[in-house]
Amino acid sequence: MSKSAKKNITDGQLVIEQSRDALWPNYSPPQDLLFSHGVGSELVTENGEVYLDFLSGIAVTAFGHSHPHLVKALQSQTEKLWHLSNIFRIPASERFAGQLVQHSFADRVYFANSGTEAIEAGIKAVRAYQAGIGHKERFRLLGFTDSFHGRTIAAVAASGNPGYMQNFAPTDHGFDQVPWGDLKAVKAAISPQTAGILIETVQGEGGIRPVNRDFLAGLRALCDSHGLLLMLDEVQCGAGRTGKLFAHENFEIQPDVLAAAKGLGGGFPLGACLATESVGKHMVVGTHGSTFGGNPLAMAVGNAVLDLLLEPGLLDEVSRKGAELRTALENLVTAHPSVLERVTGMGLMIGVKCVVPNVDLMAALRTNRLLVGRAGDNMIRLLPPLNVSDAHLEQALNTITDTIEKLA
Ligand SMILES: *Cc1c(COP(=O)(O)O)cnc(C)c1O
């Protein structure tokens, strides 16, 4: 079709049909599904059909859609100041950083706009630390197979998934991977060039896999004995998802650097890289920066998200709901071994390994108005809002049960 023919279409639906070809073809959303708004754990289509959202934009809308406290925070900021640049002080970013420091291992925080950027900042911080203490030769980061750290060149190289790196040569950007959970392999892979170890506390895209406590303790010990830094990717599993503000708190082990994003912004693009003082102090003027990072709008929402995360009892409720959902799903696995294999996860980050193709179950659930995600290892991924109601949990379970009984 010619450009002018495309542009002459005025009917709303047709404009959408035609102009989707204007996007890069790098996503494949279901073509027949168009959402107009969301309230809490529910999304509503343009036709008024209501879907239960147990994906939360991949763990992003941590308090559901249009939460009044978040809406108010953003609305009141839009009337005051949108953007300033880090050339000037941004009090809301100082407050947000101060709160994060007060409630975590960290002493210093850098704000970015996405998970990948938080990861990039962390990688630079690890390398800057080693260079700063006289070990310029230590620049390599050791990571794990099936990991996912984002989509920039450094982040895909850190993930080591060959499919994601294809056609984006060169391939060696200073990252090595060893099998998940294999401490011996980690030990063997540490070289004089190794600067740190990068790991998702709970693997997300690769299949919902919480790190093993002893393994994480082993990594911490190896870092300490070899002068390496431990960097955690909590972009997906942080911000309350596992029932703790940050997932590593479940294991009583502290990192040196941590990347967070997704749920921390509650739906506003926001990332944060947290670090100890001994690492953060190396990120002096000129080492790193961002035009938008820590922008007043993002900081207004981030502070409001943290208000909700720190409300007494919220995190305990995440653990309780997660445990209940998990038990119910485990019963379903027992009842329908021809469809489901096992349940994994922590808190409200739950994976269900399927026997049937995960995409089939995901599509069947969508037909029944329940939105879930998929993950590696043939899993479906449940990431409901952290404040999901018991009634919606029950509704989701009923939908899953009905769907599975038909598939069995
Ligand atoms: C989503 C994700 C990222 C990348 O975050 P973006 O905001 O998409 O850049 C990195 N690490 C993990 C574990 C993630 O789940």
Side-chain angles (χ1 to χ4, degrees), residues 144 178-184 186 199 212 215:
F144 297 89
V178 295
W180 175 260
D182 188 342
L183 201 62
K184 266 196 195 139
V186 175
I199 185 167
N212 172 288
F215 182 61

Side-chain angles (χ1 to χ4, degrees), residues 114-117 119 148-150 200 204-205 233 235-236 261-262:
S114 68
T116 311
E117 283 179 89
I119 290 286
F148 180 81
H149 301 297
E200 289 163 86
E205 307 296 314
D233 181 345
V235 169
Q236 190 168 152
K262 290 199 164 103

Side-chain angles (χ1 to χ4, degrees), residues 177-327:
Q177 289 83 28
V178 295
W180 175 260
D182 188 342
L183 201 62
K184 266 196 195 139
V186 175
K187 220 173 182 171
I190 293 172
S191 81
Q193 293 184 334
T194 306
I197 296 176
L198 169 58
I199 185 167
E200 289 163 86
T201 317
V202 183
Q203 255 188 7
E205 307 296 314
I208 305 294
R209 267 190 235 176
V211 71
N212 172 288
R213 177 184 296 267
D214 293 341
F215 182 61
L216 191 59
L219 293 182
R220 180 71 268 178
L222 277 177
C223 284
D224 292 343
S225 59
H226 288 76
L228 315 180
L229 296 180
L230 180 62
M231 174 173 164
L232 297 180
D233 181 345
E234 297 208 3
V235 169
Q236 190 168 152
C237 64
R241 197 37 65 190
T242 65
K244 300 279 185 194
L245 186 56
F246 292 107
H248 65 89
E249 295 167 33
N250 291 290
F251 307 104
E252 292 106 34
I253 284 156
Q254 300 209 334
D256 303 292
V257 179
L258 179 147
K262 290 199 164 103
L264 196 60
F268 201 93
L270 161 62
C273 188
L274 284 67
T276 59
E277 176 66 18
S278 66
V279 177
K281 72 178 180 192
H282 295 282
M283 300 309 284
V284 295
V285 173
T287 54
H288 199 50
S290 161
T291 297
F292 295 123
N295 151 307
L297 293 175
M299 295 297 98
V301 180
N303 275 303
V305 169
L306 209 52
D307 291 342
L308 298 178
L309 280 170
L310 295 176
E311 250 174 30
L314 183 276
L315 294 171
D316 289 341
E317 276 288 275
V318 170
S319 298
R320 176 188 65 81
K321 290 175 202 167
E324 285 179 17
L325 182 57
R326 204 179 153 141
T327 305

Side-chain angles (χ1 to χ4, degrees), residues 3-345:
K3 267 197 166 172
S4 59
K6 276 188 191 172
K7 282 179 177 166
N8 283 336
I9 296 165
T10 51
D11 174 82
Q13 196 60 40
L14 276 177
V15 167
I16 286 169
E17 287 299 307
Q18 301 298 337
S19 54
R20 71 174 181 221
D21 291 338
L23 291 168
W24 279 16
N26 59 323
Y27 302 118
S28 59
Q31 292 302 320
D32 50 348
L33 199 54
L34 287 173
F35 293 111
S36 69
H37 63 284
V39 182
S41 305
E42 292 181 328
L43 277 168
V44 185
T45 67
E46 299 202 320
N47 308 324
E49 293 154 354
V50 179
Y51 283 71
L52 195 50
D53 182 7
F54 268 44
L55 180 57
S56 307
I58 316 185
V60 169
T61 46
F63 291 93
H65 301 281
S66 51
H67 189 289
H69 185 60
L70 305 185
V71 171
K72 191 163 157 251
L74 183 58
Q75 267 177 354
S76 64
Q77 188 60 42
T78 58
E79 287 159 14
K80 288 186 210 152
L81 187 62
W82 285 24
H83 183 76
L84 200 56
S85 157
N86 292 297
I87 291 168
F88 303 104
R89 284 180 68 176
I90 300 173
S93 87
E94 294 174 13
R95 175 178 184 261
F96 191 16
Q99 286 277 88
L100 287 170
V101 163
Q102 195 186 328
H103 294 280
S104 76
F105 75 96
D107 307 302
R108 297 271 187 177
V109 182
Y110 165 80
F111 289 115
N113 311 288
S114 68
T116 311
E117 283 179 89
I119 290 286
E120 288 266 353
I123 292 166
K124 285 178 75 172
V126 169
R127 290 176 173 174
Y129 164 85
Q130 294 292 6
I133 62 163
H135 285 295
K136 257 199 158 82
E137 78 286 358
R138 293 187 186 166
F139 65 92
R140 302 192 74 85
L141 270 90
L142 191 52
F144 297 89
T145 50
D146 299 323
S147 61
F148 180 81
H149 301 297
R151 296 288 200 161
T152 58
I153 294 286
V156 280
S159 309
N161 181 329
Y164 287 177
M165 207 50 196
Q166 220 174 5
N167 300 339
F168 307 123
T171 51
D172 185 15
H173 295 268
F175 299 92
D176 303 294
Q177 289 83 28
V178 295
W180 175 260
D182 188 342
L183 201 62
K184 266 196 195 139
V186 175
K187 220 173 182 171
I190 293 172
S191 81
Q193 293 184 334
T194 306
I197 296 176
L198 169 58
I199 185 167
E200 289 163 86
T201 317
V202 183
Q203 255 188 7
E205 307 296 314
I208 305 294
R209 267 190 235 176
V211 71
N212 172 288
R213 177 184 296 267
D214 293 341
F215 182 61
L216 191 59
L219 293 182
R220 180 71 268 178
L222 277 177
C223 284
D224 292 343
S225 59
H226 288 76
L228 315 180
L229 296 180
L230 180 62
M231 174 173 164
L232 297 180
D233 181 345
E234 297 208 3
V235 169
Q236 190 168 152
C237 64
R241 197 37 65 190
T242 65
K244 300 279 185 194
L245 186 56
F246 292 107
H248 65 89
E249 295 167 33
N250 291 290
F251 307 104
E252 292 106 34
I253 284 156
Q254 300 209 334
D256 303 292
V257 179
L258 179 147
K262 290 199 164 103
L264 196 60
F268 201 93
L270 161 62
C273 188
L274 284 67
T276 59
E277 176 66 18
S278 66
V279 177
K281 72 178 180 192
H282 295 282
M283 300 309 284
V284 295
V285 173
T287 54
H288 199 50
S290 161
T291 297
F292 295 123
N295 151 307
L297 293 175
M299 295 297 98
V301 180
N303 275 303
V305 169
L306 209 52
D307 291 342
L308 298 178
L309 280 170
L310 295 176
E311 250 174 30
L314 183 276
L315 294 171
D316 289 341
E317 276 288 275
V318 170
S319 298
R320 176 188 65 81
K321 290 175 202 167
E324 285 179 17
L325 182 57
R326 204 179 153 141
T327 305
L329 289 167
E330 273 160 3
N331 290 338
L332 270 181
V333 170
T334 311
H336 300 287
S338 65
V339 185
L340 304 178
E341 188 179 315
R342 65 188 160 83
V343 186
T344 66

Side-chain angles (χ1 to χ4, degrees), residues 346-408:
M346 291 185 94
L348 284 171
M349 181 172 184
I350 296 181
V352 185
K353 188 166 158 100
C354 303
V355 179
V356 298
N358 58 352
V359 286
D360 292 356
L361 179 56
M362 199 173 81
L365 290 171
R366 194 167 64 223
T367 306
N368 294 332
R369 310 260 172 96
L370 174 66
L371 304 174
V372 302
R374 62 170 159 143
D377 203 18
N378 200 34
M379 285 195 188
I380 61 161
R381 192 164 20 160
L382 302 180
L383 299 160
L386 303 181
N387 62 345
V388 64
S389 69
D390 287 320
H392 277 146
L393 279 176
E394 197 183 321
Q395 186 186 328
L397 271 167
N398 288 339
T399 304
I400 296 170
T401 308
D402 291 349
T403 308
I404 282 170
E405 278 169 0
K406 282 194 193 104
L407 280 178

